[in-house]
Amino acid sequence: MSELARFHDDLYARMRAQPSINWKLLFGITGSMTLLLLALVIYVFATGIGVFGTNIPAGWAFPIINFVYWIGIGHAGTFISAILFLLEQHNWRNPINRLTETMTIFAVIQAALFPVMHLGRPWFGYWLFPYPDLMGTWPQVKSALPWDAAAVTTYFTVSVLFWYLGMIPDLASVRDHAKSRARRIAFGIMAMGWRGSAKQWRHWRVSYLMLAAIATPLVVSVHSVVSSDFAIGITPGWHTTLQPPYFVAGAIFSGFAMVLVLAIPTRFFFRLEHVITDRVLDNCAKLMLITGWVVAYGYLMDDFGAYYGGEAAERTLDFVYHPASSIFWITMFCNVVVPQMFWSRRMRRNRKVLFIGSMAVLVGMWGERFMIIVEGLLRDHMPSAWGSYTPTLVDIGILAGTFGFFSFLYLLFVRFFPFIPVSEIKEERK
Amino acid sequence: MKRGMIAEYRDADSLLVAIHVVRSRGYTALEAYTPFSVHGIDEALGAKRSPLSLAAGLGAAAGAVGAYALEWFLVAHLYPLTLGAHPPHMPLPFLIITIEMGFLFGGLTVFFACLFAARLFRLWDPVCEVPGFESATRDGFWLAVGADDPKWDRGELEGVIGGTGPRAMHGFGGLT
Amino acid sequence: MSGITRRDLLELMAGGIAALQAGCLEQAGDREIVPYVVDPPEQRPGVPVRYTGLLARDGFAAGVLVDSNDGRPTKLDGNPLHPATLGGSLPWMQAAILDLYDPQRLRDARLAGDVTTWSALAARLRALPRGPLWLVLPPQTSPTAAALLARIGARRELHVVYHAPLDHRAAYRGAALVYGRPLEAQPDVARADVLVALDADVLAGMPMSAAWARTFAGRRAPDRRMSRLWACEPMPTPTGTLADERVALRAREVVAVATCALVRLGELGLGVPALQRDAIAAASKRLDPGVLAWARALAEDLADHRGAGAVFAGDRQPPIVHALGRWLDAACGNAAPSEPATIDPLGGQTLDDLIEAAGRDRTPAIVVIDANPVATSPHPLALTEALARAPLSLHATRYRDETTAACHALVPLAHELETWSDGRAWTGALAIGQPAIRPRFDIASTLDVLAALAGEPRSARDLVRAQLPDDAHWRDALRTGIVRDSDAPRVTAEPRWTAECDTALARALAPASEEAIEIALAPSLLHDGRHAANAWLQELPHPITKQTWGNAALLGPATAARLGVGNEDVLHVASAVGAVDLPALIVTGAAEGSITLELGYGRRTPEQPIADGVGADAFVLRDDDRRILAGTATPAGGSARIIRTQHETDEQGRGLAPHATLGEFLANPRGLAAHLRGDQPSLLPQISEAGTQWGMSIDTSLCTGCSACMVACQAENNIPSVGPADVANGRHMNWIRIDRWLTSDGAVINEPMPCQHCEHAPCEYVCPVNATVHGADGLNEQIYNRCVGTRFCSNNCPYKVRRFNWFAYEKTDSASLQYNPDVTVRSRGVMEKCTYCVQRIRRAEHAALVEDRAIRAGEVVTACQAACPTTAIVFGDLHEQGTRFAAMRRDPRRFSALFELGTRPRTQYLAKVTNPRSKP
């Protein structure tokens, strides 16, 4: 047996192995959370979005925070698979690119739930897309929301295409070496007749490159467009040209945190330390440090802009004395203080520290979204309309439910699919 | 490639050498099967560059132009409304969906063009019947010569391929 | 007849005829329903018919116009010809229409718990065995009721209790002290250069407030004719908000202010009585030097404008304050009083008499009409027992309430719009109330019950008709809503100062215990609790505190600090006889050492879920009819939520509350708010201003904050009430709200805030589905059936005037009969907001189209504008010439709210100008 065959068989054996964790329990927990999400979504649809804590002035709160948050999580996946591909960082990109692309898709699915669910009349959500109707009316494309619809649809579609195209050779490999007939048929269909011919590789390689070239500006544009939901508004704290880069950096920041949160246990339980090496994690941590600093610069510029712009409402929007100032302090701690430990190589190589630090960043970035979206609304131009916001159990349940659903999908994927891009790693080994 | 001869090699380099040898004998209907994308194989086979980058560009351009035209037609022409004193036709906001649709249609075009160009809708191929061909997605590097080759000469070919040191050699598509 | 158009008159005539028919209708039964073959002339589908009607509170009548759509009254407005409204209205008048359809109303007559009919009960009343009869009913001004009472009295032993927990008796007693009999003060507000409110909510809390506010507003243009309003009060009121000179004063010190003012008038050489030296000394000792100077300045101002002053004393004040008020007026030669409108104003028995009589062996029959004495009397338990023990106790009421539980027989009481009635306004002017709808249940009116007791076979309509000499008068009265020349005659009576006055003054000025805190009881938006089942009034933000769905212990900041409580900390307020726990609410401008508790909350009526248990009942603190008590307040520990719609009263330098004194304004008229108007530079193209361009101007100098506009808007535009939980979460639905700004220099500015209809509307361009767009006539239009509910528009509205249907708020019970058919009922999940009453605009456009003419200036009147008692809100076309609106658009006081945002709002404001004497 050739060395390549041994390597190949070993990787697939590890991916197919029963991981050293109570798999059924994990499925049970995340599956129940998914059911909770489903039940709550039905409840919201049946009752009305008054079951959320949103109000006037806080017309957008948990659902939109979660939307922005989950979209942001997705960004690291595309960043790793597309941008690092173009930059030819294959050696640390390849081991985690499938995982992170998958994370992107599942995160965007969570995100996509919210713009529909938060609508007053969700059953008319399709009105944001141009379709010929009897009233002769069309989407109003000067609003940022159709931009959002276009960007998120594009992002999801292109991410799925990119992910799927990249996975075809490995799907064919599973097909060819599957033990059961059902698995062979299922993967046979999914692999779509991939035989690894030079012609297929030729077209595949160009297409993959093209998709990477499209995904790269796309990933930058998506969160820029999402940020314009706020930047085109005149609400204090929203109305600033700072938003697009600030959002993109924050998205990649939180995305890398999620990558680490997923990759560390995955490599541990599937014993893939030799593939997803310490160096891979180290590089992720470095990128977190960099984007963390961009985000911190964003906080600084936000305050400077408010001060320098001189507008009363912007100046009054003081996070420190805001009713929700605790969120501000949590955000500052998690997003600015915690990442500083990644200056140290020892910390970057300590998987526990990495994991906890990444969790903190995930919390902090959620807090940042809260800060941006809600706190400006609560301290709008009209002081008489200043209000407060408290999330309901439904809000919290749905947020928890999306984490459950996300994890559930992720577990399903790693259980049944080749989550390490074996063919690309084989190519790189050579 | 419906019928022909196929041989398996131990590694990519042996495959590349074999391709060189077979081609030097004037055979042109060649195809290689590899578990990963082998660098230099297209040059060895004398294949032309894939035109799919052009497809991506065209798709993106069509998507973008179509999107802007649709926006203009619907919002500025068919149903113009005054909104916050904004004029019906405003290039800047229109551009955002334009760009996104460029990405979307570029991506869709290149993906489906790839499926088409790489014949990825064909689940079965005669080579699949070759015993041990599943190694093409594991560690086997395969070279096939089609029977439709104008220089097709079974006997000569067996000699040529045999001289390149294959792991195995078979006929396929009804040939033995 | 000036002020009423030909069109109105035709509608009124039609109304009269229709109403005559309505009065003769039979009882409902199984009958076929067939469509009209020929429509009755007054019924045009889709076109509301307007009738005159009459509302009354504690006897005092308020004439209204009733808009009726296909037989359903849907909207009330003040009758411009009626002296108590002059076309304006107050929240309770606007809200009365909701009561008509209230699903909580009592539907069936009952005897001992069993369903019966009114006619069966009426037969029992006619055949009531001999013996004493006790009647408990509100004070009456109705001549028909007076006649019936006289006839009942002739038939049997009759004791009448005129029960009004917030009665007007102190004013009559005060007048009696001065004139020897209970006369009614008749201030001439139109001529008044100086108005003095002695703890009196002249502009929003008195029976004549709608009319007085309107006449007062006529003298508030910032020029040399501008009147001056002086007010002293323990707690800010709408009147205090507009006062040019205001002091916060404990209610029990008001007598000292009146005394010192009268003394000062004497010093100025006016004819005043010689008060006892002790009294004068005590009065000046009771007041802070600043307040004393204020009282003396007030007197000087009155003296400077002899014959053109008006002094008002609040009903809460003891008779001696009213007596002093009459003296202040008389000394200055101000308008003379008149005979009172109320029947037997100082007569009748009290509830205590009733309890005592029931306790004796002579068992009386008790009939309670349109009153809830168990909830409002100082001795509810004894009264309950008396009612239960009486051989017959009958309660004619619109709701099951605290009193019904104790009564044997129940009669559903008619709403004013379901029955014939008559009543007098404060001025004595008589008006006839006609039914505007056939009753939905088997009901009886006050007159019906009295007629049954009097053995009177004639119907209420015939009885009321008999008050007028002939058909011409009758028709005219129905058409115009007022009986001509029926004002009570003015009385030229010489005021006297008797020993009784001295005694009363000495008692009122007697020093009070310094430990005791003053408890001032005040009427609320629910008045004495009678409107507690009205969701509109429960949800209407308090004009001062913006509290909804409950009451609070209102107190000044220093008092709160002394007691160690902050907002929402529960305070245990106790008087000699009772105690109540309420959350504290600190009010800027409140007098220290005084706690104001508003009445009408804390009802215990499980059958009225809207009223039940909302707030706390402050009636338990009183032992008699006094409303200024002494007591204690201690923190009870814990806190309770106060639901408010506005928390921040500092405008934070956003340019929302420009203001000046008259002197400052006249010195530099263009300087006031000059930085807050004009057009901000913009990259956007100029919007077309061709054709009619609607706009609104609101004069903050005139807004009292009374909130009638908010209820009017709610009635006109089918705006739902959402309940306390949603209001607490910022989900109240009012399309127009009144912002109350307190500036650092002590000014108070009420700023009604409807949709601003911005030309550069930030809400429009962010809507992804074109659900909010700009109309050619300048309206910011909201298209409900296009809205998907992203709420981006609301987020981007700097004025935060957009409202969202978080749940399916629309009414499906009988209250939905009140819906205005011209206004879409919004479904769950859509955004809504002020439309400038677009349905009224379209109606005017249609009328203009049919008549082939342009829309006339002033033809479109929005609901808020129509309701506003001070005419602060004016609507019109920007191209109008020569109208008040046109003048307001050029007024040097004009400004745009949040001007710096460049939204170019169509709703403009006029800055507030006050006319203080101390700072000219």
Side-chain angles (χ1 to χ4, degrees), chain C residues 197-202 231-243 246-251 254 294 316-317 544 589-591:
Chain C
L198 301 170
D199 189 20
D201 190 4
V202 179
C232 56
E233 53 191 12
M235 187 58 51
T237 60
T239 305
T241 300
L242 278 203
R246 176 185 181 274
V247 286
L249 196 64
R250 274 184 280 177
V254 171
W294 185 89
R316 171 164 67 189
Q317 289 294 328
I544 306 300

Side-chain angles (χ1 to χ4, degrees), chain A residues 214, chain B residues 56 59-61 63-64 67 97-107:
Chain A
I214 286 170
Chain B
I97 291 181
T98 303
I99 292 167
E100 294 297 333
M101 288 302 108
F103 294 148
L104 179 63
F105 282 88

Side-chain angles (χ1 to χ4, degrees), chain C residues 60-146:
Chain C
F60 289 110
V64 291
L65 296 179
V66 185
D67 278 349
S68 181
N69 276 288
D70 303 327
R72 291 180 294 115
T74 56
K75 180 81 174 63
L76 302 179
D77 266 311
N79 180 352
L81 299 179
H82 193 274
T85 64
L86 300 180
S89 41
L90 292 170
W92 70 271
M93 300 178 197
Q94 288 289 342
I97 193 74
L98 185 64
D99 293 341
L100 180 60
Y101 303 109
D102 195 335
Q104 305 167 49
R105 271 180 72 176
L106 181 65
R107 288 161 178 264
D108 302 304
R110 280 177 188 267
L111 183 61
D114 300 324
V115 174
T116 177
T117 61
W118 158 236
S119 45
L121 283 175
R124 277 182 93 96
L125 290 183
R126 279 195 200 93
L128 206 60
R130 297 247 157 236
L133 168 68
W134 283 76
L135 259 178
V136 180
L137 75 174
Q140 296 292 315
T141 60
S142 156
T144 309

Side-chain angles (χ1 to χ4, degrees), chain C residues 678-682 686 756-760 896 902-906:
Chain C
D679 281 344
Q680 290 275 31
S682 171
Q686 188 64 36
Q756 304 286 301
H757 291 269
C758 310
E759 288 177 8
H760 293 185
S896 300
T903 50
R904 303 193 184 182
R906 277 286 168 86

Side-chain angles (χ1 to χ4, degrees), chain C residues 379-458:
Chain C
H379 306 112
L381 290 177
L383 189 60
T384 307
E385 199 182 325
L387 287 165
R389 282 223 322 248
L392 176 78
S393 55
L394 179 136
H395 190 203
T397 177
R398 288 225 295 272
Y399 299 98
R400 283 181 176 277
D401 56 26
E402 292 86 341
T403 305
T404 50
C407 292
H408 310 145
L410 295 184
V411 178
L413 186 72
H415 188 276
E416 285 104 321
L417 300 182
E418 291 172 327
T419 182
W420 290 96
S421 62
D422 57 0
R424 293 186 186 278
W426 174 294
T427 63
L430 180 64
I432 308 295
Q434 54 181 330
I437 185 172
R438 195 169 73 189
R440 292 184 297 131
F441 337 110
D442 179 22
I443 54 167
S445 67
T446 304
L447 292 182
D448 290 334
V449 178
L450 292 178
L453 287 168
E456 169 61 63
R458 283 181 293 171

Side-chain angles (χ1 to χ4, degrees), chain C residues 855-870:
Chain C
I855 294 178
R856 284 186 282 264
E859 190 172 348
V860 181
V861 175
T862 63
C864 51
Q865 177 185 8
C868 181
T870 57

